[in-house]
Amino acid sequence: MPSQDPEAESSREGHEALDKNNNYGSESEESEEGSEEEAEEDDIDKITLQEMVKEFLAALNTDKLRHSEEAQKQLIDKYEAYIRPQSKRVQKAVPITRRNVLFKLATEEQDALELPSLVRFLVQKHPKLLNETDSSGRAALHHAIETKSEWFIRAVLESEIPEEDWQNALGPNSLKDEQESVRSNCIHIAIAKGLKASLTVKLIEKASKHTLAAQDDSKFTPLHLAVEYAKCTNTRRNVVKALLQHGDPALDKRTGPPDRFSVYRYHESTRPLDKERNAPILPRDRVEGKNEKRKSGKDNKNGPADPERAEGEPAKQVMNEKTRKMHKEQQKEQQKEQQKEQQKEQQKEHEKEHEERQTLPGGLRRTPTLNINANEGRQLSEATLQSPNPTVHAKSINSRKTSSKSKIGKGSSERASKPKINIADDIARDLKLHYFRTMFDEKSGRNHASAEEFIFGDNSENKLICFEFPPIPRKEPDKIDFDQFKKSYKPFSFDPALLYVDFRKLELQVFETPRAAKRNQDAGAGKKDMAKFFEWLSVEKKVQNIIKVTVEDRQDVPHCDQAIVNSLKEFDIEILDWRKFDLCPLAIREGTGKSKNLRELHLWWSGSNTVLRAWSEPQGLAVLPNLKQIHIYEAKPSLESVQRTDENINTFRTRLNFARTERPIKVAMHPFEDSNSHSRGASTSHCQRTHRVQGGKKIDEHQWLTIMDTFAEAIRQLPKLGIFPENYFMQTSEKIPLPEELKGDVTVALIDDGVDFMHPAISEKLLPGKSFDSGFGSRDVHGAPEPYHGSTTGHGTFMAYMIQRVCPAVKIFVYKIDVLQKGSGPATFTAKSAADAVEDAVKRGFDIISMSWTVQPNDSDNANNSSDLERLRVALQKASNDHKNRKGKNKGKETLLFCSAPDIGQSNLSNTHYPFNCDGIPNMFRIGAAKADGTIYPWAGNQVGFILPGENVRMRPDDDDVPRTGSSVATALAAGLAAMIIHCVRLGAVYNIHKRNRAGLSEKSVRAIKTFKAMSSAFDTISKNSPTNNDRRLGVEAFFKTPGKDLSTSGTLSEEGKWIRVAGIARDLISDNTENEYG
């Protein structure tokens, strides 16, 4: 007979329509059940269903059922028709809030029955029950995870149900569902609520990749939530590893605007400031941000809600006064508990695992459970028959309260212990290294640029994630002065984890005493050069992890084994390609002692079977625990027959894997070939004619260059007056900071084919740069760019030299753009790389951008560059027009733009060579070349604004003796001249501030001279007394010749007289009217 439960009887009244918002595609269940079941369900009327469910629930409380799995099976068989998934028709006839019996068991309040066997039987027989949702759109498993009902979760995990049903129960199971999902799925909830790590990992292993990559309403994936600093504990690291292993696509997801954080950058953003690292950090207590009601200041333990924080937006880790007080209060309350938890964390985790194993078989036990909000956690007998309360069910998960008397959470979930910095560092490293590993698979779509964005965002600090040296491969080894190397690369900043390190052919210059020579002779004839470079990476640049190491060591005299060991021993390396013939297995083992993740070796083989047998000895390569792959390259044609060689290789494979049955090592053979040949792609754009003038014919140096060399040297040696403090570019004599406009050197962004940072004449003038080279395939890394610290053709190095030659006080930021060549023709650049570089340069706000190249439009189907050229035009237009906002609220900064003529001769066409004749950029200096006699270079054309020396121009004799010709040279000189003018005005302003001359030059003067109009006026002032009749020639003879002599060390002016003269030059270059108009 049906039980007469008065609460159940009363709950039959006032039914509401069923919420149809079922999770993740359960609408098709009816068709899957079959017509026979539907016909049977049609016979179930509303009253019968209610009565039979009441009987079933009443039976749950019998002692026999509690202690007998067989009785539970019989109960399910008896009432199957009433507890299995019902048809849509029946669901509509009997509206319910808690959909089925699983909700009863998952959400029970006081003295809940723990019936894991019943749950297993029910789920295995009707897995679709896991997909049925209540009116708030949540299924039983969601509620169990939310309330940390561990016995229920274990029981479901033990159920043998199809993989697809599991994946549907946990979250989205298709790309479409993933993209449309805006709510937290089971994995989000497990991580946000701190479910026991071992259970969370098992759920992750069951989930689909779409569930693990799905984003909640704040655009957070489960991995974003898992890496929050406040949750970085030992157990949480296991969760992160599982998410990386099974949910890699989450690494490509970004949070919502404005931050758009990758997983790694979100982790970094949640870290406290260094001074506050001893204070506990509050986790982001949210699961469905925008759907939850924000607590008022009165109810919030942590104080009133931040009015500047948008709903659903994670709290920023800003250590203001309010958060510091909050952290101190929490620290006092939690300090004792945290210390105990940290000491016993691992021991308790083992105990919990043991307890878990004891309960897995599924005994019947009664334990207290979490007390859910009364209206949300009704028993099924009540919730099945009572109308839902729409107000209650509109609440999100976070609105539920946990009973203060609850005991289930004790010792069973991830502890809210204080995060450990070392574990947080390990998690951050795990994220980076995993991302780097995937880049060796081109199908991942990840490349060097995406890796930089993943770790650094816009990488404003210009950190490197890879290193090649020498940056440009040479047929003959470069001879390197190691002291000069360290000096040149001192400004470089490296991430502790690198994608690859590649040392090409090189040879250190040896400067040694006879005693040192004898000592080196005793140490063996083998080279030791690499040990210095790797020590530099480890000690000075703090590099710890390297995914792939490549060293070219096939010269006549290779490195000795000890040098190889010393080079590698301080790093954790995963792929090693040291290109020494017949590399000793003992040297590999000793050198990779810290490389616990060494998984791939590239070995260069002379053909000797003796070497194969040494490599495959039991104490050889087989002892490397994580080694998975060996590549063997035949260095030369084998002396043995093909059959004999194959037999030797097969024997090698057998011996190598004799004791590695669980993790056999794969061996790939590569036949002899020239592995040094790499070809570049075809050209897609064109640049101006700029060429070297070959031959040893001596030519007269330009008077222009001679005058500017004298003046630049005089400015460089300008004496420091007694009125100045030690660093007069940073502070006044009273140690009051100077205006920002007067600090630092003039900055020039040089966009070209890279610059040789080892060039001694310019190395100190170079800033770490950025490469927009499209990459090449020589390192098995998709999109690995050629480094900016090497010049592909030498063109960029020459441009940098000329800029700093005219203005020694300059700092040059180097951009390398995609350089392609057609045979022996001129170098060409791609529009995309040019646009990328210009956009980045404009964003960084340099004083000057120098572009000694042009790009032609290409409208062919397979190489259309119109969109990239438009990006280039828009970026340059923004840079040249920003001065219009200087007095507005959004204060901008104009950048002086210098571009080269294409050197194609006379032309009146527009938009044929970008940026030179690009429409819409009037405020840009278009520069052409002049011959030594001051007349225009014939190929420069008729559209240039100014001409400067550009024919047969050479570096100083001690630096290079090969002259170059073209408008690109003139452009570099013009950029250098503009930098010198800015520097002179800056010197005049500094002098006036130290002399307290209020009527003189100031920071306003420096701001003004950095505008196109003011610089144009200065150029006109300089060239108005030019000795030629060409009004476009930017002559310096009349303006700089005499001051250069007066300011030189042989001049007659006193020290202060020289400063007065410089201030006078600056005043001549910028008038009061110009200053007031543009400053």
Short mmCIF file of all heavy atoms in Angstrom, two decimals, residues 442-484:
data_model
loop_
_atom_site.label_atom_id
_atom_site.label_comp_id
_atom_site.label_asym_id
_atom_site.label_seq_id
_atom_site.Cartn_x
_atom_site.Cartn_y
_atom_site.Cartn_z
N GLU A 442 53.30 20.67 -35.04
CA GLU A 442 52.76 21.78 -35.84
C GLU A 442 51.24 21.80 -35.81
O GLU A 442 50.62 22.86 -35.98
CB GLU A 442 53.26 21.66 -37.28
CG GLU A 442 52.96 22.88 -38.14
CD GLU A 442 53.65 22.83 -39.48
OE1 GLU A 442 54.51 21.95 -39.67
OE2 GLU A 442 53.34 23.67 -40.34
N LYS A 443 50.61 20.66 -35.57
CA LYS A 443 49.16 20.59 -35.54
C LYS A 443 48.58 21.38 -34.37
O LYS A 443 47.40 21.71 -34.37
CB LYS A 443 48.70 19.13 -35.47
CG LYS A 443 49.04 18.31 -36.70
CD LYS A 443 48.57 16.88 -36.53
CE LYS A 443 48.93 16.04 -37.75
NZ LYS A 443 48.51 14.62 -37.59
N SER A 444 49.39 21.65 -33.37
CA SER A 444 48.89 22.38 -32.20
C SER A 444 48.51 23.81 -32.55
O SER A 444 47.71 24.44 -31.84
CB SER A 444 49.94 22.39 -31.08
OG SER A 444 51.04 23.22 -31.43
N GLY A 445 49.09 24.34 -33.63
CA GLY A 445 48.82 25.73 -34.00
C GLY A 445 49.52 26.74 -33.12
O GLY A 445 49.30 27.94 -33.25
N ARG A 446 50.38 26.27 -32.23
CA ARG A 446 51.09 27.16 -31.33
C ARG A 446 52.48 27.45 -31.88
O ARG A 446 53.12 26.58 -32.45
CB ARG A 446 51.19 26.54 -29.94
CG ARG A 446 49.82 26.38 -29.28
CD ARG A 446 49.85 25.52 -28.04
NE ARG A 446 48.51 25.34 -27.50
CZ ARG A 446 48.16 24.39 -26.65
NH1 ARG A 446 49.06 23.52 -26.24
NH2 ARG A 446 46.91 24.31 -26.23
N ASN A 447 52.93 28.66 -31.67
CA ASN A 447 54.25 29.05 -32.17
C ASN A 447 54.92 29.99 -31.19
O ASN A 447 54.42 30.23 -30.08
CB ASN A 447 54.10 29.71 -33.55
CG ASN A 447 53.12 30.86 -33.54
OD1 ASN A 447 53.02 31.61 -32.57
ND2 ASN A 447 52.37 31.01 -34.62
N HIS A 448 56.05 30.51 -31.61
CA HIS A 448 56.83 31.38 -30.72
C HIS A 448 56.03 32.59 -30.27
O HIS A 448 56.06 32.98 -29.09
CB HIS A 448 58.10 31.81 -31.45
CG HIS A 448 59.01 32.67 -30.63
ND1 HIS A 448 58.87 34.04 -30.55
CD2 HIS A 448 60.08 32.37 -29.85
CE1 HIS A 448 59.80 34.53 -29.77
NE2 HIS A 448 60.55 33.54 -29.33
N ALA A 449 55.30 33.21 -31.21
CA ALA A 449 54.53 34.40 -30.86
C ALA A 449 53.43 34.07 -29.86
O ALA A 449 53.20 34.82 -28.90
CB ALA A 449 53.93 35.02 -32.13
N SER A 450 52.73 32.95 -30.06
CA SER A 450 51.65 32.59 -29.14
C SER A 450 52.21 32.22 -27.77
O SER A 450 51.58 32.47 -26.75
CB SER A 450 50.82 31.44 -29.71
OG SER A 450 51.55 30.23 -29.74
N ALA A 451 53.41 31.63 -27.74
CA ALA A 451 54.03 31.28 -26.46
C ALA A 451 54.40 32.54 -25.68
O ALA A 451 54.22 32.60 -24.46
CB ALA A 451 55.27 30.42 -26.69
N GLU A 452 54.92 33.54 -26.37
CA GLU A 452 55.24 34.82 -25.71
C GLU A 452 53.98 35.43 -25.12
O GLU A 452 53.98 35.91 -23.99
CB GLU A 452 55.87 35.78 -26.70
CG GLU A 452 57.37 35.61 -26.88
CD GLU A 452 57.99 36.80 -27.60
OE1 GLU A 452 57.24 37.57 -28.25
OE2 GLU A 452 59.21 36.97 -27.51
N GLU A 453 52.89 35.41 -25.89
CA GLU A 453 51.64 35.99 -25.40
C GLU A 453 51.10 35.18 -24.21
O GLU A 453 50.59 35.75 -23.25
CB GLU A 453 50.61 36.02 -26.53
CG GLU A 453 49.32 36.76 -26.19
CD GLU A 453 48.32 35.91 -25.43
OE1 GLU A 453 48.35 34.66 -25.59
OE2 GLU A 453 47.52 36.47 -24.66
N PHE A 454 51.21 33.87 -24.26
CA PHE A 454 50.73 33.00 -23.19
C PHE A 454 51.44 33.32 -21.88
O PHE A 454 50.82 33.34 -20.81
CB PHE A 454 50.98 31.54 -23.58
CG PHE A 454 50.60 30.54 -22.52
CD1 PHE A 454 49.29 30.18 -22.33
CD2 PHE A 454 51.58 29.96 -21.72
CE1 PHE A 454 48.94 29.26 -21.34
CE2 PHE A 454 51.24 29.04 -20.73
CZ PHE A 454 49.92 28.69 -20.55
N ILE A 455 52.74 33.61 -21.94
CA ILE A 455 53.52 33.82 -20.73
C ILE A 455 53.59 35.30 -20.32
O ILE A 455 53.43 35.64 -19.15
CB ILE A 455 54.95 33.28 -20.92
CG1 ILE A 455 54.91 31.78 -21.22
CG2 ILE A 455 55.81 33.54 -19.68
CD1 ILE A 455 56.25 31.20 -21.61
N PHE A 456 53.80 36.19 -21.29
CA PHE A 456 54.10 37.59 -20.97
C PHE A 456 53.02 38.58 -21.42
O PHE A 456 53.12 39.75 -21.09
CB PHE A 456 55.42 38.02 -21.62
CG PHE A 456 56.57 37.09 -21.37
CD1 PHE A 456 57.19 36.43 -22.40
CD2 PHE A 456 57.04 36.89 -20.08
CE1 PHE A 456 58.26 35.59 -22.19
CE2 PHE A 456 58.10 36.03 -19.84
CZ PHE A 456 58.72 35.38 -20.90
N GLY A 457 52.05 38.15 -22.20
CA GLY A 457 51.14 39.13 -22.79
C GLY A 457 51.85 39.86 -23.91
O GLY A 457 52.31 39.23 -24.87
N ASP A 458 51.98 41.17 -23.82
CA ASP A 458 52.67 41.92 -24.87
C ASP A 458 54.19 41.89 -24.70
O ASP A 458 54.91 42.48 -25.50
CB ASP A 458 52.18 43.37 -24.91
CG ASP A 458 52.44 44.12 -23.61
OD1 ASP A 458 53.06 43.55 -22.68
OD2 ASP A 458 52.00 45.28 -23.50
N ASN A 459 54.68 41.21 -23.68
CA ASN A 459 56.12 41.07 -23.44
C ASN A 459 56.83 42.42 -23.44
O ASN A 459 57.84 42.63 -24.13
CB ASN A 459 56.76 40.14 -24.48
CG ASN A 459 58.12 39.62 -24.04
OD1 ASN A 459 58.53 39.78 -22.90
ND2 ASN A 459 58.85 39.01 -24.96
N SER A 460 56.31 43.33 -22.65
CA SER A 460 56.89 44.67 -22.59
C SER A 460 58.31 44.66 -22.02
O SER A 460 59.08 45.58 -22.25
CB SER A 460 56.00 45.59 -21.75
OG SER A 460 55.85 45.08 -20.43
N GLU A 461 58.67 43.61 -21.26
CA GLU A 461 60.01 43.51 -20.71
C GLU A 461 60.98 42.81 -21.66
O GLU A 461 62.16 42.65 -21.34
CB GLU A 461 59.97 42.77 -19.37
CG GLU A 461 59.18 43.50 -18.30
CD GLU A 461 59.18 42.76 -16.99
OE1 GLU A 461 59.83 41.69 -16.89
OE2 GLU A 461 58.54 43.23 -16.04
N ASN A 462 60.49 42.37 -22.81
CA ASN A 462 61.33 41.78 -23.87
C ASN A 462 62.12 40.56 -23.38
O ASN A 462 63.29 40.39 -23.72
CB ASN A 462 62.30 42.83 -24.43
CG ASN A 462 61.59 44.08 -24.87
OD1 ASN A 462 60.65 44.02 -25.64
ND2 ASN A 462 62.01 45.22 -24.35
N LYS A 463 61.48 39.72 -22.60
CA LYS A 463 62.14 38.50 -22.14
C LYS A 463 62.23 37.48 -23.28
O LYS A 463 61.34 37.38 -24.11
CB LYS A 463 61.39 37.90 -20.95
CG LYS A 463 61.63 38.65 -19.65
CD LYS A 463 61.18 37.84 -18.46
CE LYS A 463 61.58 38.51 -17.15
NZ LYS A 463 61.21 37.69 -15.98
N LEU A 464 63.32 36.71 -23.25
CA LEU A 464 63.55 35.71 -24.27
C LEU A 464 63.11 34.34 -23.78
O LEU A 464 63.31 33.99 -22.61
CB LEU A 464 65.02 35.65 -24.65
CG LEU A 464 65.63 36.89 -25.31
CD1 LEU A 464 67.10 36.65 -25.62
CD2 LEU A 464 64.89 37.26 -26.58
N ILE A 465 62.54 33.55 -24.69
CA ILE A 465 62.19 32.17 -24.37
C ILE A 465 63.00 31.20 -25.22
O ILE A 465 62.77 29.99 -25.18
CB ILE A 465 60.68 31.91 -24.55
CG1 ILE A 465 60.25 32.20 -25.99
CG2 ILE A 465 59.88 32.71 -23.55
CD1 ILE A 465 58.81 31.81 -26.28
N CYS A 466 63.93 31.72 -26.00
CA CYS A 466 64.84 30.86 -26.76
C CYS A 466 66.11 31.66 -27.04
O CYS A 466 66.12 32.88 -26.93
CB CYS A 466 64.19 30.38 -28.07
SG CYS A 466 63.51 31.69 -29.09
N PHE A 467 67.16 30.94 -27.40
CA PHE A 467 68.43 31.63 -27.63
C PHE A 467 69.24 30.89 -28.68
O PHE A 467 69.42 29.67 -28.60
CB PHE A 467 69.25 31.73 -26.33
CG PHE A 467 70.51 32.54 -26.48
CD1 PHE A 467 70.46 33.89 -26.77
CD2 PHE A 467 71.75 31.94 -26.32
CE1 PHE A 467 71.62 34.64 -26.90
CE2 PHE A 467 72.92 32.68 -26.45
CZ PHE A 467 72.86 34.04 -26.74
N GLU A 468 69.68 31.63 -29.70
CA GLU A 468 70.55 31.09 -30.74
C GLU A 468 71.82 31.94 -30.80
O GLU A 468 71.75 33.17 -30.74
CB GLU A 468 69.88 31.14 -32.12
CG GLU A 468 68.50 30.53 -32.18
CD GLU A 468 67.42 31.58 -32.01
OE1 GLU A 468 67.62 32.54 -31.24
OE2 GLU A 468 66.38 31.45 -32.65
N PHE A 469 72.93 31.26 -30.93
CA PHE A 469 74.18 32.00 -31.06
C PHE A 469 75.21 31.12 -31.79
O PHE A 469 75.35 29.94 -31.47
CB PHE A 469 74.73 32.41 -29.70
CG PHE A 469 75.89 33.35 -29.80
CD1 PHE A 469 75.66 34.70 -30.00
CD2 PHE A 469 77.19 32.89 -29.74
CE1 PHE A 469 76.73 35.58 -30.13
CE2 PHE A 469 78.26 33.75 -29.87
CZ PHE A 469 78.03 35.11 -30.06
N PRO A 470 75.93 31.72 -32.74
CA PRO A 470 75.71 33.03 -33.35
C PRO A 470 74.32 33.10 -34.00
O PRO A 470 73.82 32.08 -34.47
CB PRO A 470 76.82 33.14 -34.40
CG PRO A 470 77.86 32.15 -33.96
CD PRO A 470 77.12 31.05 -33.31
N PRO A 471 73.72 34.27 -34.01
CA PRO A 471 72.34 34.38 -34.50
C PRO A 471 72.17 34.08 -35.98
O PRO A 471 71.10 33.66 -36.41
CB PRO A 471 71.96 35.83 -34.17
CG PRO A 471 73.26 36.54 -34.04
CD PRO A 471 74.24 35.56 -33.51
N ILE A 472 73.22 34.30 -36.76
CA ILE A 472 73.17 34.03 -38.20
C ILE A 472 74.16 32.91 -38.51
O ILE A 472 75.35 33.04 -38.23
CB ILE A 472 73.50 35.28 -39.03
CG1 ILE A 472 72.55 36.42 -38.66
CG2 ILE A 472 73.42 34.97 -40.52
CD1 ILE A 472 71.09 36.13 -38.91
N PRO A 473 73.70 31.79 -39.08
CA PRO A 473 74.62 30.68 -39.37
C PRO A 473 75.70 31.09 -40.37
O PRO A 473 75.45 31.83 -41.31
CB PRO A 473 73.69 29.61 -39.98
CG PRO A 473 72.32 30.00 -39.57
CD PRO A 473 72.31 31.49 -39.46
N ARG A 474 76.91 30.62 -40.13
CA ARG A 474 78.04 30.90 -41.02
C ARG A 474 78.64 29.58 -41.48
O ARG A 474 78.60 28.57 -40.77
CB ARG A 474 79.11 31.71 -40.28
CG ARG A 474 78.59 32.94 -39.57
CD ARG A 474 78.11 34.01 -40.51
NE ARG A 474 77.75 35.23 -39.80
CZ ARG A 474 77.07 36.23 -40.35
NH1 ARG A 474 76.70 36.15 -41.62
NH2 ARG A 474 76.76 37.31 -39.64
N LYS A 475 79.23 29.61 -42.67
CA LYS A 475 79.92 28.42 -43.16
C LYS A 475 81.17 28.15 -42.34
O LYS A 475 81.51 27.00 -42.07
CB LYS A 475 80.28 28.59 -44.64
CG LYS A 475 79.08 28.57 -45.57
CD LYS A 475 79.51 28.64 -47.03
CE LYS A 475 78.29 28.59 -47.95
NZ LYS A 475 78.69 28.64 -49.38
N GLU A 476 81.85 29.20 -41.96
CA GLU A 476 83.03 29.06 -41.13
C GLU A 476 82.70 29.54 -39.71
O GLU A 476 81.91 30.47 -39.52
CB GLU A 476 84.20 29.89 -41.69
CG GLU A 476 84.67 29.43 -43.05
CD GLU A 476 85.21 28.01 -43.03
OE1 GLU A 476 85.80 27.62 -41.99
OE2 GLU A 476 85.01 27.28 -44.02
N PRO A 477 83.29 28.89 -38.69
CA PRO A 477 82.97 29.26 -37.32
C PRO A 477 83.31 30.73 -37.02
O PRO A 477 84.35 31.23 -37.44
CB PRO A 477 83.84 28.32 -36.47
CG PRO A 477 84.20 27.20 -37.39
CD PRO A 477 84.24 27.79 -38.77
N ASP A 478 82.41 31.40 -36.32
CA ASP A 478 82.70 32.76 -35.85
C ASP A 478 83.68 32.69 -34.69
O ASP A 478 83.56 31.84 -33.80
CB ASP A 478 81.41 33.43 -35.38
CG ASP A 478 80.56 33.90 -36.53
OD1 ASP A 478 81.02 33.77 -37.67
OD2 ASP A 478 79.43 34.37 -36.29
N LYS A 479 84.67 33.57 -34.70
CA LYS A 479 85.61 33.67 -33.58
C LYS A 479 85.09 34.72 -32.61
O LYS A 479 84.94 35.88 -32.97
CB LYS A 479 87.01 34.01 -34.08
CG LYS A 479 87.65 32.87 -34.85
CD LYS A 479 89.13 33.11 -35.09
CE LYS A 479 89.78 31.90 -35.76
NZ LYS A 479 91.23 32.07 -35.96
N ILE A 480 84.81 34.27 -31.39
CA ILE A 480 84.10 35.09 -30.43
C ILE A 480 85.01 35.50 -29.28
O ILE A 480 85.70 34.67 -28.69
CB ILE A 480 82.89 34.32 -29.86
CG1 ILE A 480 82.00 33.80 -31.00
CG2 ILE A 480 82.09 35.18 -28.90
CD1 ILE A 480 81.42 34.88 -31.87
N ASP A 481 85.00 36.79 -28.99
CA ASP A 481 85.61 37.32 -27.77
C ASP A 481 84.56 37.17 -26.67
O ASP A 481 83.53 37.86 -26.68
CB ASP A 481 86.00 38.77 -27.97
CG ASP A 481 86.65 39.39 -26.74
OD1 ASP A 481 86.52 38.81 -25.63
OD2 ASP A 481 87.26 40.46 -26.87
N PHE A 482 84.77 36.29 -25.71
CA PHE A 482 83.74 35.98 -24.73
C PHE A 482 83.41 37.19 -23.86
O PHE A 482 82.26 37.39 -23.47
CB PHE A 482 84.15 34.80 -23.85
CG PHE A 482 83.04 34.28 -22.99
CD1 PHE A 482 81.96 33.62 -23.55
CD2 PHE A 482 83.07 34.46 -21.62
CE1 PHE A 482 80.92 33.14 -22.77
CE2 PHE A 482 82.04 34.00 -20.82
CZ PHE A 482 80.97 33.33 -21.40
N ASP A 483 84.41 38.00 -23.54
CA ASP A 483 84.14 39.21 -22.76
C ASP A 483 83.24 40.16 -23.54
O ASP A 483 82.33 40.78 -22.97
CB ASP A 483 85.44 39.91 -22.40
CG ASP A 483 86.25 39.13 -21.37
OD1 ASP A 483 85.64 38.35 -20.62
OD2 ASP A 483 87.49 39.29 -21.33
N GLN A 484 83.49 40.29 -24.85
CA GLN A 484 82.63 41.13 -25.67
C GLN A 484 81.23 40.53 -25.76
O GLN A 484 80.23 41.26 -25.75
CB GLN A 484 83.22 41.26 -27.08
CG GLN A 484 82.38 42.08 -28.05
CD GLN A 484 82.21 43.53 -27.61
OE1 GLN A 484 83.15 44.15 -27.14
NE2 GLN A 484 81.00 44.07 -27.76
#
